[in-house]
DNA sequence: GTCCATGCAAACCATTTGCACATAG
DNA sequence: CTATGTGCAAATGGTTTGCATGGAC
C-alpha cells in the first residue's frame, strides 16, 4: 500500500495543494489498511476539523481516486475507499468483514477458467470475504474496536 | 433460470396477489436472461402501464427479491436484478457487458484458494465480464439493440 | 367484503454543484 | 498575488414511506 508520503508526493506532483485536511487524509489512508466509506472518513476527519463539510470529503476522495492514490470498491452497502495497493503483479483480495483489512491472494482463477467458446473476457472480479485471524477470535462478541467503524454485519 | 410460470406460482403460493403488473414482471424476468436496473424495469413497464409509478416497481422488485425469485447484484452503476438462477450446484457467472446475459461457470476457484493462515472464509465472489459470442461480433459498432437497455460502457 | 397493491406526494439519504470567502504556493 | 480548496446551501438522483383509493381473491 502507498505510504502517507507517497500519497502526499503524488498529489503535490500533480499540482494539488497540500492542505492540512489533505495531509490528514493521506495519513489516514497511508496508515489504515482497510476500506472506508465516505461517511467513515467524514466522521474520522470530523474529530479534528470541527467545521468540516461532507462535500469537501467527497471532493477530496474523488480527486484522490482520479489521481490514482485511492482505490474504490463497490460493496452492497455502498462505495468504499482504500489506499492504492502497491503490489505490482495482478492479485486479488481476502477482505475481513469486521476490520475491513485486506490480504492479497496471489492466485488468479482466470488462468484456470476456460474462457468458454467465443466469450471475450474483459475483466474479472474475485473476492473472498470472511474474518481475519485477529477478528476471528472474538466471533460476534463485543465490538473489538476495529481501527475505524467496523460493524459486524457480514453484508457484502 | 426460473420460468414465468414458476415465478408466478411462487408468488401466488406465498400469498401475493397476482396483479397484471406482477404478471408482466414475471414475464419480463422469466424471459429476459440479463440484468436489469430498477430504471430499466420501470421504463419497460411504463410502455404498458401509463400511470405507473416508480415506487411500485421498487416495491415489487423488493418483494420478489425477498421471496427469492429474483437475484440482486451490485454493479458500479448500481444494483441490478435478474431471475433467480435455477442451477442448483454452486457456480459463478460470466456476464456480457453489452447484452447483460450471463453464462454459468461451474468451476469455483475457492477449492484452489489456500485459505491462508487463520482467515475464516464466509463468502466469495467470482465474476467474469466481457462480450459474449453474439455481442463480440459487432464490437463497439452500432448499438445492436440488445433485448433491453444495453449500453456498451464497459463499466462494472 | 377484506386485505393487499397501487399511485401520489413527500421524506430520506448519499452525492454533486454553484458560489463567495479563505489560503497554499 | 492568483488559483485552488473550503464551507455553506441548495440541487440532484435513487430509493423508501404514509396514506387513501382501487382491485384480487
Amino acid at each position: 500500500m502507498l505510504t502517507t508520503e507517497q500519497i502526499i508526493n503524488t498529489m503535490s506532483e500533480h499540482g494539488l495543494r497540500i492542505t492540512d485536511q489533505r495531509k490528514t487524509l493521506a495519513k489516514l489512508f497511508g496508515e489504515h489498511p482497510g476500506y472506508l466509506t465516505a461517511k467513515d472518513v467524514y466522521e474520522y476527519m470530523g474529530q479534528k476539523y470541527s467545521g468540516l463539510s461532507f462535500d469537501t470529503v467527497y471532493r477530496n476522495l474523488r480527486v484522490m481516486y482520479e489521481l490514482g492514490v485511492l482505490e474504490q470498491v463497490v460493496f452492497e452497502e455502498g462505495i468504499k475507499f482504500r489506499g492504492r495497493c502497491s503490489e505490482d503483479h495482478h492479485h486479488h483480495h481476502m477482505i475481513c468483514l469486521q476490520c475491513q483489512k485486506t490480504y492479497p491472494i496471489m492466485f488468479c482463477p482466470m488462468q484456470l477458467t476456460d474462457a468458454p467458446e467465443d466469450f471475450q473476457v474483459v475483466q474479472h472480479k474475485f473476492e473472498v470475504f470472511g474474518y481475519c485471524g485477529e477478528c476471528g477470535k472474538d466471533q460476534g462478541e463485543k465490538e473489538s474496536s476495529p481501527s475505524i467503524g467496523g460493524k459486524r454485519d457480514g453484508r457484502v
Side-chain angles (χ1 to χ4, degrees), chain A:
Chain A
M1 237 179 40
L2 296 185
T3 65
T4 306
E5 294 71 42
Q6 289 175 311
I7 296 178
I8 293 181
N9 290 341
T10 310
M11 294 179 75
S12 177
E13 283 161 17
H14 285 259
L16 295 186
R17 298 196 172 156
I18 306 308
T19 63
D20 202 57
Q21 261 191 62
R22 285 178 175 172
K23 268 187 217 139
T24 307
L25 272 173
K27 189 154 177 297
L28 173 58
F29 285 106
E31 295 177 356
H32 179 86
Y35 286 98
L36 300 173
T37 62
K39 197 165 156 232
D40 290 335
V41 176
Y42 175 68
E43 279 162 6
Y44 174 82
M45 299 284 290
Q47 296 168 12
K48 187 163 176 184
Y49 306 92
S50 53
L52 184 68
S53 63
F54 233 122
D55 40 272
T56 305
V57 172
Y58 276 111
R59 266 187 293 236
N60 282 327
L61 287 176
R62 178 127 67 110
V63 167
M64 292 171 77
Y65 171 66
E66 283 168 354
L67 215 151
V69 296
L70 293 190
E71 291 176 6
Q72 194 176 296
V73 174
V74 190
F75 291 76
E76 299 236 325
E77 321 98 78
I79 293 181
K80 298 190 178 180
F81 297 85
R82 41 162 279 162
R84 188 185 80 214
C85 212
S86 45
E87 287 282 357
D88 356 311
H89 18 330
H90 174 72
H91 65 290
H92 296 277
H93 287 122
M94 311 198 93
I95 302 168
C96 177
L97 292 169
Q98 170 145 50
C99 70
Q100 308 266 313
K101 280 193 190 118
T102 63
Y103 304 84
I105 305 174
M106 299 316 293
F107 163 64
C108 174
M110 274 319 284
Q111 315 154 351
L112 298 174
T113 307
D114 22 329
E117 316 113 47
D118 41 7
F119 196 96
Q120 208 181 123
V121 177
V122 170
Q123 208 198 116
H124 64 281
K125 235 187 226 180
F126 176 44
E127 285 156 1
V128 178
F129 300 90
Y131 296 106
C132 72
E134 271 316 292
C135 302
K137 287 174 201 150
D138 39 277
Q139 274 294 25
E141 328 280 0
K142 39 117 208 265
E143 287 277 300
S144 67
S145 66
S147 355
I148 276 197
K151 346 184 171 24
R152 168 166 250 151
D153 53 16
R155 274 177 303 152
V156 178

